[in-house]
Amino acid sequence: MILVTGATGHLGTATIEHLLKNTDASNIVAFARDQNKAKHLKEKGIEVRFGDFEDHTSLDYAMRGIEKVLLISTIDHHRYQQHQNVIDAAKKAGVKHIVYTGVTLKDVNTSAVKPLMSSHFQTEDYIKSSEMHYTFLRNSLYAEVIPMYVGKEVFKKGIYLPTSDGKVPFALRREMGEVAANVLLQNSHKNKTYHITGRELYSFQNIADQLSLLSGKTINYEDVDQTTFSNTLLERGVPQINVEIISGFSADIKNKQYEIVNKDMEELLGRKPASLKDSLKEIYQL
Ligand SMILES: NC(=O)c1ccc[n+]([C@@H]2O[C@H](COP(=O)([O-])OP(=O)(O)OC[C@H]3O[C@@H](n4cnc5c(N)ncnc54)[C@H](OP(=O)(O)O)[C@@H]3O)[C@@H](O)[C@H]2O)c1
């Protein structure tokens, strides 16, 4: 049986959707902390085991009879500890294989969000030291997060971001879920690290151009210096923590941390991942 953590989240939902296309619901167990959010999973015949990464007893219960675990990273500042709890419970229960969704980044030591990003690599090291089989899916940025970067008024005000000509191989999260499902169902991915990236690198100027073509409106990209950008967001009432996160990710994009393109996603999907144009069409319903 396969245990999917984060089963009520976006990536977990996409993974389960694809698992269900290729295996019976009785082979899937969902780990969830919210009964309401998990209702639809039960309706599909999936066993839901409730708990929290902070709750050891619930993790021990969740791991019973499980062979493979998909550990989807959380976003909490102390997530490394949470991930360790999941890994310890899996090892204790005799789980054979952990698939972990981390990040693909050129150099975590120079990342502007190093504490957050380091926890992905610490988790990978911890899984390796557990001596269970592992597969690391180092995901690039989700195309679905583009609206968060460009803001709600992108079609009126354009894109204002301190990313300069830095690029990202954005890929659809729902296709990353498909990749995770394929990896969980196939037996050829033991002790492998994959870089799950889109097929090309895209700057926010490319995104502005593509949105202009798709919408028929002129959308400009304006580069801005980091301090002006942060101050503008704070003046608009964006909470400090959100400003720090978006500024940190933007700095990493500008510094070319995400400029990694790899064929792993195409091979694991069995087709080319969606292009930027197709992703934006889907996200904005254009
Ligand atoms: N590559 C990217 O661009 C990108 C962007 C954003 C995030 N991420 C990372 O990728 C992960 C998955 O993305 P996503 O879009 O699927 O995120 P999401 O929709 O927020 O899903 C996160 C899932 O983790 C669960 N979870 C969080 N803390 C937990 C805990 N303490 N115990 C048990 N379950 C817990 C959540 O449960 P609830 O439903 O109960 O909240 C949810 O099911 C994120 O958590 C983050 O680490 C990557």
Side-chain angles (χ1 to χ4, degrees), residues 120-161:
H120 280 306
F121 298 99
Q122 288 173 310
T123 300
E124 288 186 355
D125 288 344
Y126 197 74
I127 293 172
K128 275 188 177 171
S129 70
S130 77
E131 292 177 1
M132 288 180 281
H133 294 308
Y134 65 84
T135 310
F136 299 145
L137 300 175
R138 291 187 176 170
N139 290 341
S140 186
L141 294 183
Y142 305 150
E144 287 89 339
V145 299
I146 291 173
M148 189 196 83
Y149 284 97
V150 302
K152 285 184 191 146
E153 298 197 285
V154 61
F155 293 104
K156 281 190 200 151
K157 295 190 173 166
I159 302 174
Y160 175 80
L161 269 181

Side-chain angles (χ1 to χ4, degrees), residues 6 8-11 33 37 52-53 73-74 79 140 142 173:
T8 50
H10 295 95
L11 186 59
R33 56 181 179 173
K37 283 193 188 172
D52 195 295
F53 287 1
S73 57
T74 69
R79 66 179 171 185
S140 186
Y142 305 150
R173 177 171 47 200

Side-chain angles (χ1 to χ4, degrees), residues 34-258:
D34 183 322
Q35 307 257 358
N36 281 330
K37 283 193 188 172
K39 258 187 196 159
H40 69 287
L41 296 166
K42 282 188 171 176
E43 283 160 14
K44 288 177 180 153
I46 295 171
E47 182 189 347
V48 183
R49 296 184 183 170
F50 289 98
D52 195 295
F53 287 1
E54 313 276 356
D55 175 356
H56 296 277
T57 311
S58 72
L59 286 170
D60 287 343
Y61 178 76
M63 295 296 169
R64 293 198 318 183
I66 299 295
E67 281 160 28
K68 286 187 187 176
V69 171
L70 173 64
L71 171 53
I72 292 182
S73 57
T74 69
I75 200 70
D76 291 340
H77 65 278
H78 65 297
R79 66 179 171 185
Y80 176 45
Q81 180 61 56
Q82 296 178 330
H83 297 164
Q84 283 179 303
N85 294 344
V86 178
I87 297 157
D88 289 345
K91 183 165 183 179
K92 197 165 126 191
V95 167
K96 301 263 180 302
H97 191 145
I98 295 212
V99 178
Y100 176 69
T101 61
V103 71
T104 186
L105 209 61
K106 276 197 173 159
D107 177 11
V108 69
N109 292 315
T110 54
S111 168
V113 278
K114 184 177 169 190
L116 186 68
M117 290 307 177
S118 297
S119 61
H120 280 306
F121 298 99
Q122 288 173 310
T123 300
E124 288 186 355
D125 288 344
Y126 197 74
I127 293 172
K128 275 188 177 171
S129 70
S130 77
E131 292 177 1
M132 288 180 281
H133 294 308
Y134 65 84
T135 310
F136 299 145
L137 300 175
R138 291 187 176 170
N139 290 341
S140 186
L141 294 183
Y142 305 150
E144 287 89 339
V145 299
I146 291 173
M148 189 196 83
Y149 284 97
V150 302
K152 285 184 191 146
E153 298 197 285
V154 61
F155 293 104
K156 281 190 200 151
K157 295 190 173 166
I159 302 174
Y160 175 80
L161 269 181
T163 51
S164 193
D165 61 352
K167 294 181 176 170
V168 180
F170 285 104
L172 283 174
R173 177 171 47 200
R174 69 166 178 78
E175 288 193 325
M176 292 181 178
E178 190 173 343
V179 164
N182 290 344
V183 164
L184 288 163
L185 290 171
Q186 297 160 359
N187 282 321
S188 49
H189 306 293
K190 278 183 194 145
N191 302 342
K192 301 259 174 73
T193 298
Y194 296 116
H195 298 268
I196 309 303
T197 73
R199 59 204 217 193
E200 278 175 57
L201 296 170
Y202 308 105
S203 65
F204 278 89
Q205 178 67 60
N206 297 142
I207 292 172
D209 294 344
Q210 201 52 253
L211 283 176
S212 302
L213 283 172
L214 288 168
S215 66
K217 296 174 183 164
T218 303
I219 294 155
N220 293 313
Y221 166 71
E222 186 188 340
D223 194 11
V224 56
D225 75 83
Q226 189 68 61
T227 312
T228 311
F229 177 72
S230 299
N231 290 340
T232 308
L233 291 195
L234 288 170
E235 278 161 24
R236 286 185 195 159
V238 177
Q240 173 84 30
I241 181 71
N242 294 10
V243 174
E244 281 171 19
I245 288 175
I246 199 160
S247 300
F249 276 82
S250 298
D252 277 358
I253 294 171
K254 179 173 179 169
N255 294 332
K256 308 187 183 298
Q257 283 278 9
Y258 289 98

